[in-house]
Amino acid sequence: MHSILVTGAAGFIGAALVKRLLKSNIRVTGIDNINDYYSIDLKKKRLENIINNLNDQKLWNFYNISIENQGNLKEIFRQFKPNVVVHLAAQAGVRYSIENPSAYIQSNLVGFGNILEMCREFKVENLIFASSSSVYGGNTKLPFEEEDSVDHPVSLYAATKKSNELMAHSYSHLFNLPVTGLRFFTVYGPWGRPDMAPMIFADSILNNKEIKIFNYGEMMRDFTYIDDIVESLFRCCHKPASSDKKFDTDKPFKSSSFAPYRILNLGNNNPIMLLEFIDLLEKALGKKAKKTYLPMQPGDVVSTNSDSSKLETWINYKPKISIEEGIKNFAEWYLEYFKS
């Protein structure tokens, strides 16, 4: 494996993956447009953290560009000729997609189309991209399995991720492009996103602000620790998708294809109630939360629970970090990072 391109390299998952790849002495090119959806300072500090952990400066190149700009993207592909592309750049967030839908159309649809086109033109050997557990939408059967219907998204964000899966399949079929789409389930840990529950809760607890608990606390999440996500991504980099020899066109699978294509859940398969998560965080931070109970928010789902057995078989890896250990690690990082 000569060269890997990671989009969204200043993001939570992207920066953690870059460090893992560089640790294995793999040449990595990172791109990110460092947008202001959340703290630019946090994104810059993640990039600094990558540089501070470098063994060999020559292995790492970073460019501040947007995936919507095909000209800039093509120049990166032409210069570095990546064998593997891990596409993590996207406009994230379920609730923000209600307020600003155009950002999702541009980044998640136009930008993803540009990535697919570059992978075709430059004959990339393995494309891995971030889908989301949100594609399961209004489903109530748990745990979520890849063979479940994902035709009823409850947010535009989810709809764009489902669209990505369909777009990727067409390129996989037409151009024999090996593609793996990973449906992430509630990723958390050090260097996390400030718009996600763990960071919001930690900030509220430590600053005596009320925590808004939606659906009156009757919510369950399959929290997945960042190191488990990264290890799974790393292994997917070394195992391109392949055609499923058992694929039956009369009774088609949803997670594999006659094309070199896989859609796989990536979760912990050990969901907990939101109030239990808050309780563990309170203990780790050494402070009680002020709680406000509110009704369900538009675009949100009550429960997520991942059946990740297909991915575990595919890459021979199962998430190892317990929720207790993960929250402890997150809390220690948070207190250190924000101590000033």
Side-chain angles (χ1 to χ4, degrees), residues 48-64:
E48 286 173 19
N49 186 249
I50 290 171
I51 292 168
N52 292 340
N53 284 278
L54 264 179
N55 294 324
D56 184 348
Q57 300 282 343
K58 295 174 188 170
L59 291 175
W60 170 237
N61 290 281
F62 175 78
Y63 295 89
N64 185 339

Side-chain angles (χ1 to χ4, degrees), residues 147-277:
E147 302 309 317
D148 295 340
S149 168
V150 289
D151 294 332
H152 302 92
V154 294
S155 69
L156 178 65
Y157 171 71
T160 63
K161 289 299 184 179
K162 166 75 186 291
S163 301
N164 288 170
E165 295 180 1
L166 297 173
M167 293 163 71
H169 186 273
S170 66
Y171 268 73
S172 178
H173 164 61
L174 290 169
F175 308 113
N176 200 36
L177 172 65
V179 181
T180 303
L182 297 173
R183 291 173 176 167
F184 295 138
F185 280 71
T186 317
V187 188
Y188 76 104
W191 299 98
R193 275 180 25 213
D195 64 318
M196 292 184 72
M199 291 275 274
I200 293 170
F201 292 166
D203 174 66
S204 296
I205 290 168
L206 292 171
N207 292 294
N208 300 310
K209 294 186 285 188
E210 289 185 338
I211 288 179
K212 294 178 180 177
I213 300 172
F214 295 99
N215 203 36
Y216 306 103
E218 292 298 314
M219 298 182 80
M220 186 170 70
R221 288 291 180 269
D222 196 351
F223 287 99
T224 315
Y225 191 67
I226 183 64
D227 290 8
D228 286 325
I229 294 282
V230 165
E231 184 60 29
S232 300
L233 277 166
F234 182 81
R235 291 180 181 225
C236 285
C237 288
H238 292 80
K239 187 163 185 180
S242 56
S243 172
D244 188 344
K245 305 306 179 194
K246 296 179 182 175
F247 191 81
D248 184 347
T249 51
D250 289 333
K251 297 176 183 175
F253 303 132
K254 294 182 180 178
S255 60
S256 62
S257 175
F258 47 81
Y261 175 85
R262 289 286 191 282
I263 292 292
L264 299 162
N265 286 341
L266 176 44
N268 197 33
N269 195 17
N270 190 22
I272 67 166
M273 295 301 291
L274 193 59
L275 289 173
E276 186 183 344
F277 183 90

Side-chain angles (χ1 to χ4, degrees), residues 27 58 111 133 144 150 215 224 314 316 327 334:
R27 185 184 181 207
K58 295 174 188 170
S133 63
F144 296 149
V150 289
N215 203 36
T224 315
W314 180 248
N316 191 29
I327 289 178
Y334 190 94

Side-chain angles (χ1 to χ4, degrees), residues 44 77 104 166:
K44 288 180 176 176
F77 273 80
Y104 293 77
L166 297 173

Side-chain angles (χ1 to χ4, degrees), residues 21-77:
L21 293 168
L22 291 170
K23 193 177 176 183
S24 297
N25 293 315
I26 295 168
R27 185 184 181 207
V28 183
T29 304
I31 63 174
D32 200 298
N33 67 355
I34 322 279
N35 68 28
D36 62 0
Y37 168 63
Y38 65 80
S39 168
I40 288 174
D41 185 59
L42 177 60
K43 294 177 182 181
K44 288 180 176 176
K45 285 212 165 65
R46 289 189 190 126
L47 293 172
E48 286 173 19
N49 186 249
I50 290 171
I51 292 168
N52 292 340
N53 284 278
L54 264 179
N55 294 324
D56 184 348
Q57 300 282 343
K58 295 174 188 170
L59 291 175
W60 170 237
N61 290 281
F62 175 78
Y63 295 89
N64 185 339
I65 67 164
S66 294
I67 56 172
E68 296 95 308
N69 187 319
Q70 194 178 61
N72 287 345
L73 202 56
K74 182 177 273 194
E75 189 52 44
I76 297 291
F77 273 80

